[in-house]
Amino acid sequence: MTENMRLALHSFPLSKTFYSTLVRNQARGLCGAAMRLVQFHRHCDEGAIRVGVEQAEGLGVVDLKTFDPSMPTTMRGLLELGEKGIECAQRALSSGQCVLNRSDIKLLSPILAPEKVVCVGMNYRDHCLEQNAPIPSEPIIFNKFPNVITGPYDDIILPSESQEVDWEVELAFVIGRSGKHIKEEDALSYVAGFTVANDVSARDWQMKRNGKQWLLGKTFDTFCPLGPALVTTDAVKDPHNLGIRCLVNGDEVQSSNTDQMIFKTEQIIAWVSQFVTLTPGDVFLTGTPPGVGVFRKPAVYLKKGDVVECQIDQIGSIVNKVV
């Protein structure tokens, strides 16, 4: 809440209900309207990244740069503009102009080259239960390098260095503005939106090599498909009550709900921002539910030709072939 708003509240006799509603709406997020923001390139110009707004899931995309030439060409650039960029996206969507057909574009990851890819381990109660692990008392934080990020329909490349590559569907969120030592009650106002991620993991490197430090097992190229869109906070009714699923070759291998998350979005932001300054475009992966291959009996791992689909209600799905 801004200082001007605080002064106004002290100047007029407002009800507790009005006050609490105002605070809740202020904390909902950076965006003031429900939108599905995307990054893409046109098939006729594959080298040029653009930012757009989906008219609806799976429908045409409004090209922001064509609508307003002053707009940046990347999602990170758009987020760095703050409210100015979001307001332009709202105007572009409402205009119905500068719409590209889906057949003319390829969707990319909604964020490319973020400063950070922050991950939370062991963050689903049912995932802890499937491996007989204790419920963590504080978030278990690790990271992936930005090179892992690939598009929602791009291939996952099996590295020759690993024979135990596994799937992990995850709810991801993207930071919309900079902050440090963020309070839980303010945390959602730092979130630009939510997206779907697959935290692809080489279990041999994660659990047996590299001193059992997770980084190398998590950070091979293409080990984080992301997308299909950055769905703004206002478009997601409750990010902690969403169906979440993973299918391999059409067979459901993971099925749960984000209400199983031990540490919610607000807690994760407050915890991590104690240590580092969060910046626009930072990507957070919030953990995976049960059903991963490594804990099956016998264990099951991805092989060439497999198709992995990760789905989250209200956000969408990503589909990636293993090559």
Side-chain angles (χ1 to χ4, degrees):
M1 182 177 296
T2 65
E3 186 59 28
N4 285 340
M5 291 171 65
R6 293 185 194 279
L7 291 173
L9 288 173
H10 282 63
S11 300
F12 298 96
L14 302 175
S15 71
K16 290 182 178 180
T17 300
F18 181 91
Y19 179 84
S20 61
T21 301
L22 185 61
V23 171
R24 184 167 59 250
N25 290 341
Q26 180 73 8
R28 275 293 297 163
L30 179 71
C31 305
M35 293 187 292
R36 298 178 58 88
L37 302 169
V38 296
Q39 278 190 147
F40 65 94
H41 66 61
R42 292 172 291 189
H43 293 309
C44 62
D45 189 8
E46 295 190 0
I49 298 172
R50 314 283 282 198
V51 184
V53 190
E54 283 188 316
Q55 292 183 305
E57 184 176 356
L59 297 184
V61 172
V62 180
D63 186 340
L64 291 189
K65 188 71 172 177
T66 302
F67 176 79
D68 183 345
S70 71
M71 286 294 103
T73 58
T74 67
M75 187 75 72
R76 187 171 171 182
L78 182 72
L79 297 179
E80 288 171 346
L81 287 179
E83 292 296 338
K84 176 184 176 182
I86 297 304
E87 289 168 1
C88 178
Q90 292 171 358
R91 291 197 308 273
L93 180 61
S94 299
S95 75
Q97 301 173 9
C98 309
V99 179
L100 299 172
N101 293 325
R102 292 299 287 263
S103 59
D104 295 329
I105 66 173
K106 176 185 177 181
L107 288 187
L108 308 174
S109 166
I111 288 288
L112 294 170
E115 183 178 287
K116 310 175 193 68
V117 181
V118 181
C119 309
V120 187
M122 309 285 290
N123 197 33
Y124 275 67
R125 295 182 185 278
D126 46 8
H127 182 47
C128 292
L129 291 174
E130 80 167 334
Q131 52 189 300
N132 296 316
I135 303 297
S137 59
E138 59 188 28
I140 299 172
I141 303 298
F142 63 98
N143 73 299
K144 298 165 85 84
F145 290 147
N147 60 282
V148 298
I149 291 180
T150 192
Y153 311 116
D154 291 341
D155 293 337
I156 297 169
I157 300 173
L158 279 184
S160 59
E161 294 82 2
S162 175
Q163 284 69 53
E164 298 181 359
V165 176
D166 203 350
W167 57 83
E168 289 191 10
V169 60
E170 306 206 9
L171 174 68
F173 63 84
V174 176
I175 295 297
R177 61 189 180 103
S178 296
K180 182 78 182 288
H181 295 294
I182 299 167
K183 296 178 181 179
E184 280 189 32
E185 57 265 32
D186 300 327
L188 275 183
S189 71
Y190 288 82
V191 175
F194 296 88
T195 192
V196 182
N198 185 352
D199 179 15
V200 184
S201 305
R203 302 301 187 191
D204 37 10
W205 284 92
Q206 179 189 359
M207 297 178 170
K208 305 170 188 175
R209 307 283 300 275
N210 194 42
K212 298 184 179 180
Q213 295 285 335
W214 292 3
L215 176 64
L216 292 183
K218 295 282 189 174
T219 207
F220 284 97
D221 292 344
T222 73
F223 268 27
C224 188
L226 203 66
L230 182 63
V231 182
T232 60
T233 54
D234 294 286
V236 180
K237 185 175 180 181
D238 180 358
H240 307 118
N241 188 20
L242 301 173
I244 181 170
R245 295 166 296 278
C246 179
L247 293 80
V248 177
N249 301 324
D251 295 327
E252 190 174 83
V253 292
Q254 291 182 279
S255 181
S256 186
N257 191 289
T258 57
D259 64 6
Q260 288 290 305
M261 286 171 57
I262 299 163
F263 302 102
K264 311 301 187 187
T265 300
E266 300 92 329
Q267 295 169 291
I268 294 168
I269 290 173
W271 180 262
V272 174
S273 69
Q274 295 178 99
F275 306 98
V276 294
T277 299
L278 305 185
T279 60
D282 286 348
V283 176
F284 279 70
L285 276 59
T286 61
T288 198
V292 294
V294 68
F295 295 125
R296 293 175 175 265
K297 301 188 185 301
V300 178
Y301 298 110
L302 294 172
K303 60 185 184 301
K304 289 183 180 179
D306 285 345
V307 176
V308 185
E309 181 174 2
C310 296
Q311 307 171 344
I312 301 180
D313 294 349
Q314 300 181 37
I315 297 176
S317 65
I318 58 177
V319 183
N320 305 94
K321 185 176 180 180
V322 180
V323 300

